[in-house]
Amino acid sequence: MQTNGKTQDPAQIATVAPKAFARIVKIWGLSEKEAAGLADMAESDWTRAKARDFAGELTRDQLLRLSAAVGIYEALELYFSEPLARRWFARPNTGHLFGGRRPVETAIEGGLPQILAIRTYLDGLLQGA
């Protein structure tokens, strides 16, 4: 991965990403089970991954999920005011991607393709599409 023209060490990304994701999960009010499902981990693995001293490896899929979740969080913070931005992901939604269900539920069930679809949907809202 590159940021600002510099290649980042995958091990460093795997150390930082779960901590950023853990902060977002807390802000969104997700359960540990939902956080683990969104990250495609067993709950015990999620507990280890969010620990301060985590030095394990994450799969490419897991890193993409965490990265997309950060993007979803950022888009929500830009598009909505704070109360809705913080609750949107865990509230029932009648949008075409959700069918009255909570976005977090569809993201867990649909995996990375659905998580990326939600990210794209929110990016479209930001662009006025």
Side-chain angles (χ1 to χ4, degrees):
M1 292 188 130
Q2 286 194 350
T3 305
N4 299 332
K6 296 180 182 178
T7 301
Q8 290 187 326
D9 176 22
Q12 180 184 12
I13 295 167
T15 301
V16 173
K19 281 132 189 91
F21 180 67
R23 286 190 298 276
I24 291 167
V25 162
K26 186 174 182 177
I27 290 168
W28 284 345
L30 302 183
S31 69
E32 292 295 301
K33 182 177 182 177
E34 289 171 328
L38 196 56
D40 194 29
M41 296 179 186
E43 284 185 68
S44 59
D45 291 338
W46 167 238
T47 299
R48 281 192 298 278
K50 68 179 183 170
R52 191 174 296 271
D53 60 348
F54 177 71
E57 293 186 20
L58 299 175
T59 66
R60 178 172 165 72
D61 180 82
Q62 290 167 332
L63 284 171
L64 288 171
R65 286 167 175 259
L66 300 184
S67 174
V70 170
I72 290 168
Y73 171 80
E74 290 173 346
L76 290 170
E77 291 291 316
L78 289 171
Y79 192 73
F80 297 112
S81 61
E82 187 173 308
L84 183 54
R86 304 290 170 98
R87 295 182 187 142
W88 186 92
F89 201 64
R91 291 180 55 173
N93 190 309
T94 58
H96 72 278
L97 288 176
F98 315 112
R101 300 177 66 215
R102 297 164 56 229
V104 65
E105 292 170 356
T106 67
I108 292 167
E109 289 176 17
L112 185 57
Q114 177 68 1
I115 295 167
L116 294 174
I118 294 169
R119 170 78 194 270
T120 301
Y121 171 78
L122 291 169
D123 287 346
L125 291 177
L126 285 170
Q127 296 171 2

